[in-house]
Amino acid sequence: MQEKNAMIEKDQTVFVAGEKTKQPEHLAEESKTANLPSSRAIADRLRTARLSANLTQQELAGGLFSKSYISAVERGKMIPSLQALNVLAQRLAVPVAYLLGEQNIDLVALEESSAVLRSSEEQISAAPTNDPILLLDKAEAFLREDQAQEALTLLGESETPPTGLLLLQWLRWYRLVGWAAGLLGDQEKAIRLLERGLELSQQIHLRIPTAEQPQLKEMVGYLHCFLGNAYCSQDKIDQALDYYQRGLEAIRKDQVHDPELKALIYKGLGRSALALGNYQEASAYYQEALKQAEIVKDQRLLGMILWGLASSYQESDEPFRAKTACLKALNALEQHGNPKSLLQIRINLGQVLLQLDDYQGAEQYLLPGMQEAQTLGDMCMYGVTLVNMASLHRVRGELPQALALIDTARQLLQQHPSHRIEGQMYLTLASIYEAQHNHAAREQAFQDAIRILEEGKEYSSLGKAYESYAQLLSEQGRFQEAFEQMRLAHRPR
């Protein structure tokens, strides 16, 4: 069997971006991680040695790794390369054979000599870092901490994987560079690279040994998921949904076992359903994602899913449940979220409190949020807070202040257009005109909101806009027109 696999490995052909070339010599070598034990075995031994050495994950990470990388290894989410294992063994003062499960050690003696184990940062920083698999490990650790530019610097500016990687690691490289490009806002580059990885996976699947087929299928699942994310960020929900549904099909066929990947797929489906205005469906998907995230015990992933769940509850007019989910999301992301994500969740919480008529609580989140958005230069969230503060002034009967904020929002949107924010602005303006008993202006505001939300395909807000307009028409006895608006509100997306 070994001879057969060796022959297959020797005869591999590499496909990149649709081109067929002779396999480079380095790809015919045995994978540097081929003989490693299971991720769970390494995870258990690494964690045992770390605890016996009285080291935190951050201390073990030192200057070469990150805490999230050590956490991922200890949870069995990542198998470190031999290069990385050697560095970790050096820092723990244990033989690498122990981490590989080939040797046992006296853990009591290890604990007693823990002071010796705290190797200097100079030793760690002097460790070689040119191992390509180790670089992928470090890049992934950066990405898990939202440090996309640092990850991309490690991965390189080229759109072709570096030498020294076998085919499955090529797919991982495509996933990581696509992930990084997406986080940096370059969705076109992300899609291009992720699709190249997907094309490569389709061309090599018959050449991958049987033992590596499950790993290949999960790698394809990640490519599908990140492609879905990239299209979703472009508001191309139909394309995004197609990729997420492929992931769901893989879960149903039992081709995906990684709970993190399952969580990401369900989260993507929830995000797509939310964008299409299917709030109950979105909640159901986010609940499934939450179950998988709790297995992974990744606080950042947990927080992002709770945030999505809060949004689905908010749109479903379930503000109490939305408030609970928002508070849990903030708690989970307090140490693991980036400033912009935390800002957006706080503003969402302010919106929810506004729905609950807790005006004082809403102001405690919205007013600082407006100032923080300006400081961060996040004009999108600044516009959102302007519109929500206008709503707050409206319900307090402070109509001149509300209109002044709407004017500021209108000026902002001329420089930073957003269908979603502009649509919400006109809906808020309609409520201000209602308080002024200006029925003609109120109707015009509804029509403007619907037109803008239709143009932007902002389905999550569009349904409510139609319903609110239908209520106005009904109040005026225009029942046939009201019925038509309700029909549009509930049409399939």
Side-chain angles (χ1 to χ4, degrees):
M1 184 65 178
Q2 291 179 347
E3 292 179 0
K4 180 179 179 182
N5 285 342
M7 291 176 65
I8 292 173
E9 193 72 27
K10 184 176 181 181
D11 190 43
Q12 284 190 71
T13 302
V14 177
F15 296 82
V16 182
E19 296 182 4
K20 182 175 179 180
T21 61
K22 184 66 179 175
Q23 178 187 3
E25 186 176 339
H26 70 272
L27 290 182
E29 299 172 358
E30 184 178 6
S31 170
K32 295 181 180 180
T33 58
N35 295 322
L36 293 185
S38 70
S39 59
R40 187 69 266 163
I42 292 176
D44 292 341
R45 290 210 164 211
L46 181 67
R47 184 172 185 275
T48 299
R50 178 180 63 79
L51 293 176
S52 297
N54 294 317
L55 291 173
T56 65
Q57 289 182 340
Q58 187 63 62
E59 289 169 335
L60 177 56
L64 184 59
F65 304 106
S66 68
K67 179 183 176 182
S68 63
Y69 173 75
I70 300 299
S71 174
V73 174
E74 289 191 357
R75 289 184 283 115
K77 295 299 304 168
M78 296 177 66
I79 298 181
S81 64
L82 284 173
Q83 177 73 37
L85 279 175
N86 276 312
V87 174
L88 294 172
Q90 178 188 3
R91 189 160 183 80
L92 289 166
V94 299
V96 72
Y98 168 74
L99 297 179
L100 291 171
E102 298 170 354
Q103 178 182 336
N104 291 321
I105 60 174
D106 186 346
L107 293 175
V108 175
L110 175 62
E111 185 173 6
E112 290 174 352
S113 60
S114 61
V116 180
L117 305 177
R118 298 176 183 266
S119 307
S120 68
E121 290 298 326
E122 290 77 12
Q123 287 178 301
I124 296 303
S125 60
T129 59
N130 58 352
D131 183 304
I133 299 178
L134 180 57
L135 290 178
L136 293 186
D137 290 349
K138 291 183 66 179
E140 183 161 351
F142 276 131
L143 288 168
R144 290 178 180 276
E145 294 179 345
D146 284 328
Q147 298 179 32
Q149 189 56 61
E150 291 84 348
L152 207 54
T153 299
L154 282 176
L155 295 166
E157 295 300 324
S158 171
E159 296 195 1
T160 303
T163 59
L165 296 175
L166 291 180
L167 292 180
L168 285 178
Q169 294 297 340
W170 280 39
L171 295 183
R172 184 184 177 201
W173 183 88
Y174 278 118
R175 174 174 69 90
L176 295 179
V177 293
W179 183 1
L183 288 178
L184 291 171
D186 192 347
Q187 305 305 334
E188 292 298 333
K189 180 179 180 180
I191 291 169
R192 183 170 65 251
L193 291 168
L194 291 165
E195 287 184 340
R196 285 186 189 176
L198 196 58
E199 179 185 356
L200 177 63
S201 73
Q202 293 167 348
Q203 293 170 333
I204 68 172
H205 76 280
L206 293 177
R207 294 181 174 273
I208 295 293
T210 302
E212 295 180 355
Q213 287 292 334
Q215 186 181 353
L216 173 63
K217 289 176 181 177
E218 293 212 331
M219 192 70 72
V220 168
Y222 273 108
L223 291 170
H224 284 157
C225 194
F226 283 106
L227 274 165
N229 293 346
Y231 279 115
C232 215
S233 296
Q234 292 184 323
D235 294 326
K236 297 178 179 178
I237 306 304
D238 290 340
Q239 292 97 317
L241 193 55
D242 176 60
Y243 282 110
Y244 291 137
Q245 287 176 338
R246 294 188 204 184
L248 181 61
E249 183 181 359
I251 291 175
R252 289 172 174 168
K253 289 182 176 179
D254 201 30
Q255 295 175 347
V256 174
H257 301 97
D258 183 349
E260 180 182 49
L261 177 54
K262 289 182 181 180
L264 291 171
I265 291 169
Y266 285 125
K267 174 176 169 288
L269 287 163
R271 181 181 177 185
S272 298
L274 187 60
L276 291 171
N278 301 326
Y279 308 128
Q280 296 300 322
E281 184 179 337
S283 297
Y285 281 129
Y286 279 123
Q287 290 284 4
E288 288 298 320
L290 203 56
K291 293 176 186 176
Q292 299 301 323
E294 287 168 349
I295 296 172
V296 178
K297 300 187 185 304
D298 182 326
Q299 289 299 302
R300 184 180 180 282
L301 178 59
L302 193 68
M304 298 301 285
I305 293 169
L306 283 164
W307 180 17
L309 184 60
S311 297
S312 64
Y313 286 148
Q314 184 180 356
E315 296 294 347
S316 299
D317 291 324
E318 299 180 83
F320 287 104
R321 298 179 78 179
K323 176 184 174 181
T324 300
C326 263
L327 289 170
K328 287 182 178 179
L330 280 174
N331 183 58
L333 289 172
E334 189 173 2
Q335 300 299 323
H336 305 277
N338 61 51
K340 285 193 175 184
S341 295
L342 289 168
L343 168 64
Q344 291 173 15
I345 296 173
R346 292 190 189 104
I347 291 173
N348 281 156
L349 183 54
Q351 293 173 322
V352 170
L353 294 172
L354 193 55
Q355 282 183 276
L356 290 169
D357 298 331
D358 182 356
Y359 305 136
Q360 184 176 356
E363 188 172 23
Q364 287 175 353
Y365 283 99
L366 292 174
L367 193 56
M370 184 163 60
Q371 297 166 347
E372 187 179 351
Q374 282 185 291
T375 301
L376 291 173
D378 190 337
M379 293 299 101
C380 177
M381 294 315 298
Y382 181 51
V384 170
T385 52
L386 284 171
V387 172
N388 279 280
M389 284 298 296
S391 294
L392 182 59
H393 284 300
R394 195 270 305 167
V395 296
R396 286 175 168 172
E398 301 164 350
L399 302 186
Q401 294 94 321
L403 286 169
L405 287 172
I406 290 293
D407 284 340
T408 303
R410 200 193 305 270
Q411 294 170 22
L412 176 70
L413 288 166
Q414 290 176 353
Q415 299 177 348
H416 305 276
S418 167
H419 289 97
R420 179 173 59 87
I421 299 173
E422 191 173 3
Q424 289 294 334
M425 182 191 73
Y426 277 109
L427 290 176
T428 301
L429 194 56
S431 68
I432 295 172
Y433 289 142
E434 179 184 15
Q436 292 179 328
H437 305 290
N438 188 340
H439 304 301
R442 181 187 175 197
E443 181 170 359
Q444 184 60 53
F446 276 129
Q447 291 174 352
D448 288 338
I450 289 170
R451 173 181 53 80
I452 290 163
L453 293 170
E454 281 277 16
E455 288 174 0
K457 298 181 180 180
E458 295 290 343
Y459 301 122
S460 59
S461 301
L462 191 55
K464 289 186 177 181
Y466 279 124
E467 289 180 358
S468 298
Y469 187 29
Q471 182 179 350
L472 178 149
L473 295 170
S474 180
E475 290 169 1
Q476 296 178 351
R478 298 157 63 183
F479 300 115
Q480 185 60 42
E481 294 175 74
F483 176 80
E484 177 61 18
Q485 295 301 311
M486 290 301 295
R487 186 190 67 79
L488 291 171
H490 297 287
R491 65 182 172 181
R493 304 299 179 192

